[in-house]
């Protein structure tokens, strides 16, 4: 079965897959949560086939662990994969940032400022889901402004464990001012073509994950391998 969303036909399987993935990444389905094909098929009012196919895809991405005869659970966050993703992300983001400080499309600079304005409002509203989305959009805009959309997609493929860790940090600590200020400094470095400052700030920005991991593993040991 297919549904039309916008101008695209979307299959039932894709709808179930996207919804479950969002719930896992947004921690609405926390690490360690047990789920079943029957439960999900009833929830979405679909047959088990699209649910089973979605489970397989999510397991391949490392978001579900399927145990024969025992059931399916949302995978625990793998700290090793978080660090590997952070390492790869840091080097790619710093390289793209250096390019952004040298040459950046004006339209996307305006979009970056608009994103920062939304982040400021989000801090006031304390909406951690929206803050995560705006954080993602901010970095995506930097890649887009340098015509590095495919590079962004590569980064996305390895970030599933890292993204859950980032989301957990936003829920655990609502003091997001430091995050906003770093984003603003990155914006200023692009605006003033300050390659050195942009590279330094992006390195510092990416290093937040290391300190965050230690705190989160201590506070939420049940969520980590």
């Amino acid at each position: 079965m297919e549904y039309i969303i916008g101008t695209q036909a979307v299959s039932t399987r894709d709808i179930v897959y996207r919804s479950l993935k969002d719930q896992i990444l947004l921690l609405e389905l926390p690490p360690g949560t047990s789920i079943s094909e029957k439960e999900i098929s009833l929830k979405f009012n679909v047959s088990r086939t699209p649910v089973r196919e979605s489970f397989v895809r999510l397991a391949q991405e490392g978001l579900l662990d399927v145990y024969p005869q025992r059931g399916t659970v949302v995978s625990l966050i793998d700290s090793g994969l978080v660090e590997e993703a952070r390492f790869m992300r840091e080097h790619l983001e710093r390289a793209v940032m250096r390019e952004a400080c040298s040459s950046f499309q004006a339209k996307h600079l305006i979009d970056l400022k608009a994103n920062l304005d939304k982040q400021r409002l989000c801090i006031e509203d304390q909406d951690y889901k929206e803050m995560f989305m705006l954080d993602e959009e901010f970095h995506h805009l930097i890649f887009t402004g340098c015509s590095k959309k495919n590079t962004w997609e590569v980064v996305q493929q390895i970030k599933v464990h890292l993204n859950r860790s980032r989301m957990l940090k936003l829920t655990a600590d609502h003091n997001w001012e430091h995050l906003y200020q770093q984003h603003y400094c990155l914006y200023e470095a692009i605006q003033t073509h300050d390659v050195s400052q942009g590279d330094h700030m992006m390195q510092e920005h990416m290093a937040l994950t290391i300190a965050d991991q230690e705190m989160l593993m201590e506070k939420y040991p049940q969520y980590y391998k």
Side-chain angles (χ1 to χ4, degrees), residues 54-78:
S54 298
F55 277 21
V56 169
R57 190 171 173 185
L58 291 166
Q60 290 172 341
E61 294 180 11
L63 290 174
L64 289 181
D65 290 328
V66 180
Y67 300 103
Q69 312 305 322
R70 290 169 52 195
T72 300
V73 299
V74 177
S75 66
L76 298 179
I77 300 172
D78 188 323

Side-chain angles (χ1 to χ4, degrees), residues 1-173:
M1 183 180 295
E2 290 188 338
Y3 299 88
I4 303 298
I5 298 180
T7 59
Q8 294 184 323
V10 182
S11 68
T12 303
R13 176 193 60 201
D14 287 340
I15 291 173
V16 173
Y17 161 76
R18 292 178 186 179
S19 181
L20 286 176
K21 184 171 184 177
D22 284 346
Q23 289 178 53
I24 293 171
L25 293 179
L26 293 174
L27 301 179
E28 293 170 3
L29 287 173
T33 302
S34 296
I35 59 175
S36 69
E37 290 181 9
K38 180 180 179 181
E39 169 196 353
I40 300 301
S41 63
L42 288 173
K43 180 178 179 180
F44 286 91
N45 193 27
V46 298
S47 69
R48 289 198 182 191
T49 299
V51 175
R52 186 176 303 116
E53 292 171 343
S54 298
F55 277 21
V56 169
R57 190 171 173 185
L58 291 166
Q60 290 172 341
E61 294 180 11
L63 290 174
L64 289 181
D65 290 328
V66 180
Y67 300 103
Q69 312 305 322
R70 290 169 52 195
T72 300
V73 299
V74 177
S75 66
L76 298 179
I77 300 172
D78 188 323
S79 58
L81 293 178
V82 171
E83 169 53 27
E84 188 173 354
R86 183 210 63 79
F87 175 83
M88 182 175 178
R89 184 186 181 204
E90 176 185 335
H91 287 275
L92 286 175
E93 293 243 16
R94 287 177 65 188
V96 171
M97 186 64 189
R98 290 192 294 269
E99 186 164 328
C101 291
S102 299
S103 176
F104 197 75
Q105 298 171 26
K107 172 189 179 300
H108 296 297
L109 190 62
I110 295 172
D111 292 339
L112 277 180
K113 183 59 172 64
N115 176 281
L116 287 167
D117 292 340
K118 292 177 185 177
Q119 286 186 43
R120 172 53 68 194
L121 292 174
C122 196
I123 290 174
E124 296 175 6
D125 294 339
Q126 292 290 285
D127 186 337
Y128 74 92
K129 295 178 184 177
E130 181 66 14
M131 191 64 180
F132 177 83
M133 297 302 180
L134 289 170
D135 188 347
E136 281 288 280
E137 180 187 74
F138 181 85
H139 288 272
H140 187 199
L141 283 168
I142 295 175
F143 279 72
T144 302
C146 297
S147 300
K148 294 292 184 292
K149 291 184 179 181
N150 288 331
T151 308
W152 173 260
E153 293 303 322
V154 170
V155 174
Q156 293 305 102
Q157 292 173 16
I158 66 161
K159 280 173 55 183
V160 290
H161 287 272
L162 174 59
N163 280 349
R164 285 196 292 169
S165 180
R166 289 167 59 210
M167 180 64 72
L168 191 58
K169 173 60 165 60
L170 290 175
T171 64
D173 181 3

